[in-house]
Amino acid sequence: MRYLQIEGGHRLAGKIEILGAKNSALPVLYATVLTRSVSVISNVPDISDVLTTLEILKRMGVIITKIAENTYEIDTRNVDFCEAPHRLVNSMRGSYYLLGAELGRFGRAKLGEVGGCDFGERPIDQHIKVFRALGATVNQTDSCIVMCADRLVGNRITFDVVSVGATVNAILCAVLAEGRTVLCNCAREPHVVDLCKYLLRCGAVISGAGTSKIIIDGVRSLSGSDFSLSPDMIEAGTYMALGSAIGEYIEIGGIEPSHLFCIYKTLVGAGADIRMLDDKILVKGGSLHSVSVETAPYPGFPTDMQPQLVAAMTTADGVSHISERVFKTRFRYVEQLSRLGANVEVIGDTVTVYPSRLHGATVETTDLRAGAALVIGALCADGVSYVKNSDLIKRGYGDMCKKLVGIGAHVSEHETVSGDGVFP
Ligand code: UD1
């Protein structure tokens, strides 16, 4: 097991560069399968979810060549239908985009149980609703989904909940379907927009990306295209939260300000000293007081920032209330944060954060963003902490250790040789 050793309490200063978004990379990489052509995707983050996705694509016969730093040429001309290995599918959530991509290209798809962060129940009924509405026969068991369709035909679908994954799968499935598909109550996240922008460059006919109604007129085929992924708003937001808590002066570059507005507004409302410029953000810490916020689909405050905000607000001098409206039980990390001395209490879907004096401790990350929250907590704590299971953090943060060391953090990554015995 890998773990981070973090000596907290050091003020942080320097620059951090943000790379492309994980949640854009996965849909766009799967979308290349629909093109029967060659695409060049750049600003691809160095994270394990991307590596897993590339491995799944290679198993299908996709030829992938790294042609520059964070840039891949992806050749999907000779691709065969293939059942992705359980080990790969089960290590991440985004592997379910294989369903839309395979159904669109081969008229059939088969996928084992997907993995990803455990926030409690994560149903995929909205994905299934779309596949059926477009004409697929879907057989779902506890461990597997099998789908087939002689032809896919456009339809009008209204999602019962706003779902990023279902919106993405619907787009993947509809771009090559016959006729018009109208999707209502869509997710409006920048990653949905990225997917549509890439597909538009490939010749798809899509309007309304970034609004709650997306209209797709199916085309017979798609060409390949160059595409650069937009910056990861959650990576940027994580360093904004860290900087707000303990930053001397942190500059976050490579960002898209419009994607970060809600995170910026929330942190500034909590007392943070943040300046948003055209392509960078300047953050000074130490002035947090309190915040009252609830998570919501984009453009609301992202659920993927909730744990990091809670960690940052433990350093504030007032009481905060943070409500989780997207994944109502996304609080598994709270127990671990408490081990660092965080005075936090969960009632229903709201966590109350009291002023806390954080201290070093051994903690274990339960999921990707939980890991980021624990890192923020450990960096704000007095003394040394060990964050176990740090591989989970690499699913979504490229070079986190290196980036933190670059701003003066005392962080190093290690591997246990003999179980848990090394931890105090
Ligand atoms: C994606 C992101 C994840 C983020 C989440 C919400 C990826 C790979 N993951 O996850 O990082 O936390 O969006 O921004 O992009 N729901 C249903 N039925 C469905 C689908 C979803 O009830 O068929 C519910 C979920 O339980 C949840 C809400 O809809 O309450 C939003 O989930 P969704 O947007 O689908 O999350 P993911 O796409 O899985």
Side-chain angles (χ1 to χ4, degrees):
M1 182 212 292
R2 295 182 79 78
Y3 67 95
L4 298 177
Q5 180 173 328
I6 299 177
E7 186 184 289
H10 300 279
R11 302 289 288 183
L12 306 174
K15 288 186 190 173
I16 286 182
E17 275 302 306
I18 301 304
L19 265 179
K22 159 177 143 348
N23 289 349
S24 290
L26 310 184
V28 168
L29 290 172
Y30 282 110
T32 63
V33 171
L34 298 167
T35 69
R36 299 172 193 259
S37 186
V38 181
S39 290
V40 174
I41 311 297
S42 53
N43 206 22
V44 180
D46 297 314
I47 53 173
S48 59
D49 271 14
V50 161
L51 297 178
T52 305
T53 301
L54 295 177
E55 208 178 324
I56 290 174
L57 294 179
K58 280 183 192 165
R59 300 285 175 117
M60 297 168 74
V62 178
I63 301 168
I64 297 168
T65 315
K66 187 169 184 173
I67 55 173
E69 207 52 35
N70 305 109
T71 303
Y72 293 88
E73 182 185 84
I74 302 185
D75 179 346
T76 58
R77 281 174 294 188
N78 296 305
V79 173
D80 290 323
F81 175 80
C82 134
E83 195 181 329
H86 179 260
R87 170 183 66 83
L88 299 177
V89 168
N90 195 247
S91 69
M92 59 185 282
R93 188 87 191 154
S95 54
Y96 59 20
Y97 296 145
L98 201 53
L99 288 172
E102 282 194 332
L103 196 60
R105 171 134 186 190
F106 305 112
R108 64 187 174 126
K110 183 171 181 186
L111 193 73
E113 200 184 344
V114 295
C117 300
D118 178 4
F119 310 144
E121 223 188 315
R122 293 183 78 176
I124 59 163
D125 56 300
Q126 299 303 301
H127 304 238
I128 305 293
K129 174 173 162 168
V130 169
F131 298 137
R132 288 202 166 117
L134 294 182
T137 304
V138 183
N139 287 308
Q140 190 181 9
T141 66
D142 282 350
S143 59
C144 182
I145 296 175
V146 182
M147 303 196 292
C148 63
D150 290 338
R151 48 197 280 250
L152 293 167
V153 181
N155 204 338
R156 184 184 179 95
I157 300 133
T158 301
F159 295 109
D160 303 324
V161 292
V162 178
S163 159
V164 172
T167 303
V168 166
N169 255 333
I171 295 166
L172 292 174
C173 189
V175 278
L176 292 173
E178 294 168 33
R180 173 167 283 197
T181 298
V182 179
L183 303 170
C184 301
N185 200 22
C186 294
R188 298 161 59 189
E189 269 71 359
H191 18 291
V192 173
V193 177
D194 258 17
L195 170 66
C196 292
K197 281 185 177 166
Y198 165 69
L199 287 167
L200 281 166
R201 290 172 71 95
C202 296
V205 180
I206 304 173
S207 61
T211 74
S212 55
K213 183 171 173 183
I214 297 177
I215 299 172
I216 302 166
D217 287 307
V219 293
R220 292 180 77 85
S221 64
L222 295 167
S223 59
S225 172
D226 296 354
F227 187 71
S228 181
L229 300 171
S230 64
D232 196 316
M233 64 176 197
I234 304 300
E235 188 192 16
T238 298
Y239 293 121
M240 285 164 76
L242 172 66
S244 303
I246 198 168
E248 182 95 16
Y249 182 84
I250 296 182
E251 184 178 317
I252 304 168
I255 51 109
E256 169 48 57
S258 63
H259 297 170
L260 291 167
F261 184 68
C262 190
I263 297 172
Y264 164 80
K265 199 179 66 180
T266 302
L267 287 169
V268 168
D273 182 352
I274 302 179
R275 276 182 61 208
M276 181 101 83
L277 305 177
D278 280 352
D279 60 346
K280 63 184 170 193
I281 296 173
L282 310 175
V283 191
K284 277 196 218 170
S287 53
L288 293 175
H289 44 77
S290 67
V291 73
S292 183
V293 66
E294 55 184 51
T295 65
Y298 188 85
F301 187 81
T303 173
D304 282 356
M305 276 298 301
Q306 179 256 111
Q308 302 91 308
L309 180 66
V310 168
M313 293 315 294
T314 61
T315 66
D317 58 14
V319 180
S320 296
H321 301 281
I322 298 161
S323 299
E324 177 53 66
R325 306 286 193 224
V326 179
F327 295 109
K328 294 194 173 197
T329 56
R330 188 175 189 168
F331 295 116
R332 284 182 67 208
Y333 70 92
V334 162
E335 186 192 333
Q336 300 296 316
L337 204 58
S338 304
R339 292 188 187 185
L340 291 167
N343 192 357
V344 281
E345 182 185 26
V346 179
I347 298 178
D349 61 6
T350 298
V351 54
T352 303
V353 188
Y354 300 96
S356 312
R357 188 163 179 85
L358 301 183
H359 53 75
T362 298
V363 291
E364 179 157 1
T365 178
T366 48
D367 63 64
L368 166 58
R369 307 301 169 190
L374 294 173
V375 168
I376 292 175
L379 287 167
C380 295
D382 287 330
V384 176
S385 296
Y386 301 91
V387 180
K388 292 159 58 177
N389 221 1
S390 55
D391 273 344
L392 280 180
I393 298 173
K394 292 187 180 150
R395 285 193 44 220
Y397 292 92
D399 284 336
M400 185 191 248
C401 239
K402 203 168 143 193
K403 289 182 183 182
L404 291 174
V405 168
I407 56 170
H410 293 210
V411 182
S412 51
E413 185 165 35
H414 308 271
E415 184 132 24
T416 50
V417 270
S418 54
D420 280 1
V422 291
F423 302 107

